Amino acid sequence: MQLYLVLLLISYLLTPIGASILGRCTVAKMLYDGGLNYFEGYSLENWVCLAYFESKFNPSAVYEDPQDGSTGFGLFQIRDNEWCGHGKNL
């Protein structure tokens, strides 16, 4: 029992504060509820796959591309040089 409590405490301390990695099913439900199933001809599976490969289901992901100076934000890594002003939706 004590070992279980110690392992639980260690795992709690090692978990980053504010980590919000979503599960695949959670992302799929959110996208479905948002009406993205077959939006622009792409199936829900395509949108979930895109979210996984762009951000690994991390809605707070930020990626800076040193080659063109752009920054990608969120699940789909929307680039600031084309769509946003430093992460704020225009």
Side-chain angles (χ1 to χ4, degrees):
M1 182 68 173
Q2 289 178 338
L3 178 62
Y4 174 74
L5 291 175
V6 169
L7 291 175
L8 183 65
L9 179 62
I10 290 172
S11 67
Y12 176 75
L13 293 175
L14 292 178
T15 303
I17 303 297
S20 62
I21 307 299
L22 303 173
R24 181 183 67 208
C25 294
T26 302
V27 171
K29 180 168 178 12
M30 290 171 57
L31 297 177
Y32 182 81
D33 291 345
L36 282 182
N37 194 21
Y38 291 104
F39 178 74
E40 295 289 323
Y42 295 100
S43 69
L44 184 63
E45 292 85 3
N46 291 124
W47 291 108
V48 171
C49 184
L50 176 66
Y52 176 76
F53 282 103
E54 286 294 329
S55 66
K56 304 292 188 259
F57 300 137
N58 182 358
S60 60
V62 176
Y63 171 75
E64 295 182 17
D65 188 354
Q67 292 179 348
D68 66 0
S70 68
T71 304
F73 297 93
L75 279 178
F76 298 112
Q77 291 297 290
I78 297 173
R79 305 290 186 249
D80 65 345
N81 62 343
E82 296 177 10
W83 293 93
C84 304
H86 296 291
K88 295 180 181 168
N89 192 357
L90 298 176

